[in-house]
Amino acid sequence: MARTLSADKRALLDEGTLIPAHPLALTAQRRLDERRQRALTRYYVAAGAGGVAVGVHTTQFAIRDPAVGLFEPVLRLAAETADQAAGDRTFLKIAGVRGATDQAVREAELAADLGYDLGLLSFGGLNEWSEDDLLVHARAVAEVIPLVGFYLQTAVGGRVLSYAFWRAFAEIPGVLAIKIAPFDRYRTLDVVRAVCASSRRDEIALYTGNDDNIVADLLTPFRIPVEGGTIDKRIVGGLLGQWAVWTRSAVALMEEIRAVRDGDSVPADLLRRNAAWTDVNAAVFDAANGFHGVIAGVHEVLRRQGLLEGVWCLDPDEGLSPGQKEEIDRVYRQYPELHDDAFVAAHLDTWLA
């Protein structure tokens, strides 16, 4: 059976926290830049994040390519650095897990051996599998490591999954959370409804991965009719590629949302900032070009702050789209209150040491 989370880590997951999707720092030769990779992890810990997710889309799936050979080194480096930087503070380490069942189980075993707390299970690349096959697959991986389910948007390789699938997925004992990231309100509601209808509704934490609607997801109180009454459920935190940048500001936003979300009204300024963060995400994630430059956009913001040396990706064909740099320029000018450049500048030398 899979390991279980310690009480403090389970409490943090259930209460809700901010978890950046960890990028990959490369040299101009497209080799791992260990110094800057460590600096990124230190940045997320110092910014107040409650964990990191490594080996996910933002880390670049190509790290798994045998010719690249970076999956284990990157996971090991992040785990060691996070443990050192966080010290006694409760901090969640989440490893991306993907591929057919044999590969996913091997990745889950490696993650567990390296001290990761949870596996973020992606169904990317399995679009020809039936939903029943995906459930069998998920149960096998959940025997190795506790799971965060992942509803990935179709624009970057995900697939549409039914309410019935998520209803059955929620019954898997090893599932402790679900990252809802279809970038679609109807499909987001499918997951919320399915979890609320399950017998494990109180054992599964919901996290937003909808980088296009972060604030609204975190503010919305869902009231779902089920047999015998109604269930109140919230999306308690976020596991987001957008939070790989301007992380200190995102932590402050999360604290502000926590302070007001149980009240009877939502400050209009938070709704305004929902639109602002969505606009920022459109630029960083390159929404105008079908998310082609999503990883390079994250890198560009980190490059400007000095955390990365360049925007290089493992795939030379991945880079900033025409006009994307100008869009990032625009959101920097338009929303100066949202970035955390001063925080990064004050600590960068320490993180790079």
Side-chain angles (χ1 to χ4, degrees):
M1 291 293 292
R3 295 179 301 116
T4 57
L5 287 186
S6 62
D8 58 337
K9 291 188 175 184
R10 184 65 185 269
L12 177 61
L13 181 71
D14 290 345
E15 175 188 341
T17 191
L18 180 148
I19 303 170
H22 203 307
L24 179 68
L26 296 175
T27 67
Q29 293 73 39
R30 292 186 165 82
R31 297 192 179 96
L32 178 63
D33 186 334
E34 291 194 12
R35 175 170 168 258
R36 292 184 182 275
Q37 190 73 10
R38 287 188 185 276
L40 286 173
T41 308
R42 291 167 180 154
Y43 162 49
Y44 299 131
V45 175
V52 287
V54 189
V56 295
H57 178 253
T58 307
T59 324
Q60 302 179 53
F61 290 142
I63 61 173
R64 293 166 168 79
D65 186 331
V68 175
L70 286 179
F71 184 68
E72 179 173 0
V74 166
L75 260 65
R76 184 182 300 277
L77 192 64
E80 291 174 354
T81 307
D83 287 343
Q84 292 164 1
D88 293 334
R89 184 178 134 210
T90 303
F91 193 82
L92 295 168
K93 300 189 295 291
I94 300 175
V97 174
R98 75 189 312 264
T101 306
D102 287 349
Q103 176 184 333
V105 166
R106 286 196 304 272
E107 291 188 2
E109 289 171 344
L110 173 64
D113 289 345
L114 292 175
Y116 280 80
D117 304 297
L118 296 143
L120 178 68
L121 182 63
S122 170
F123 299 121
L126 307 179
N127 289 354
E128 302 305 315
W129 290 27
S130 71
E131 291 188 347
D132 285 343
D133 288 339
L134 293 179
L135 290 168
V136 171
H137 171 74
R139 292 185 188 105
V141 181
E143 289 292 319
V144 179
I145 195 168
L147 292 186
V148 179
F150 186 9
Y151 200 168
L152 176 66
Q153 63 160 319
T154 57
V156 291
R159 60 181 283 185
V160 175
L161 293 164
S162 70
Y163 166 88
F165 170 82
W166 290 110
R167 176 69 178 76
F169 184 84
E171 296 294 346
I172 297 173
V175 173
L176 302 188
I178 297 175
K179 170 180 173 172
I180 311 172
F183 284 44
D184 182 298
R185 308 319 302 155
Y186 303 114
R187 293 168 188 165
T188 294
L189 281 168
D190 280 345
V191 179
V192 177
R193 290 175 49 240
V195 171
C196 287
S198 77
S199 66
R200 300 187 63 249
R201 61 177 71 100
D202 296 327
E203 301 173 62
I204 295 177
L206 298 180
Y207 276 67
T208 183
N210 291 318
D211 304 77
D212 64 341
N213 200 52
I214 298 168
V215 177
D217 271 359
L218 292 170
L219 284 171
T220 300
F222 296 94
R223 177 159 290 176
I224 306 298
V226 298
E227 185 176 352
T230 59
I231 299 297
D232 291 325
K233 191 78 173 172
R234 283 192 176 276
I235 294 173
V236 294
L239 198 169
L240 297 152
Q242 176 60 50
W243 281 352
V245 301
W246 299 0
T247 311
R248 182 66 173 176
S249 297
V251 169
L253 173 71
M254 185 83 181
E255 291 171 353
E256 186 176 353
I257 290 170
R258 279 203 192 97
V260 303
R261 66 184 178 185
D262 292 327
D264 294 329
S265 62
V266 173
D269 184 63
L270 276 174
L271 298 178
R272 177 191 65 78
R273 275 182 282 158
N274 184 55
W277 279 105
T278 299
D279 195 17
V280 169
N281 182 252
V284 175
F285 273 29
D286 194 27
N289 296 288
F291 303 97
H292 170 79
V294 54
I295 294 174
V298 169
H299 290 184
E300 171 62 13
V301 176
L302 296 170
R303 183 199 65 77
R304 294 180 186 209
Q305 294 180 314
L307 282 157
L308 293 185
E309 189 177 6
V311 302
W312 307 293
C313 297
L314 289 169
D315 182 350
D317 292 331
E318 287 192 46
L320 295 170
S321 293
Q324 187 180 3
K325 179 179 180 297
E326 290 74 18
E327 276 295 283
I328 295 173
D329 290 339
R330 177 185 66 80
V331 296
Y332 249 104
R333 291 192 307 269
Q334 194 164 336
Y335 309 110
E337 72 279 10
L338 299 186
H339 68 65
D340 65 352
D341 288 10
F343 172 73
V344 174
H347 300 280
L348 183 60
D349 288 347
T350 301
W351 299 334
L352 286 169

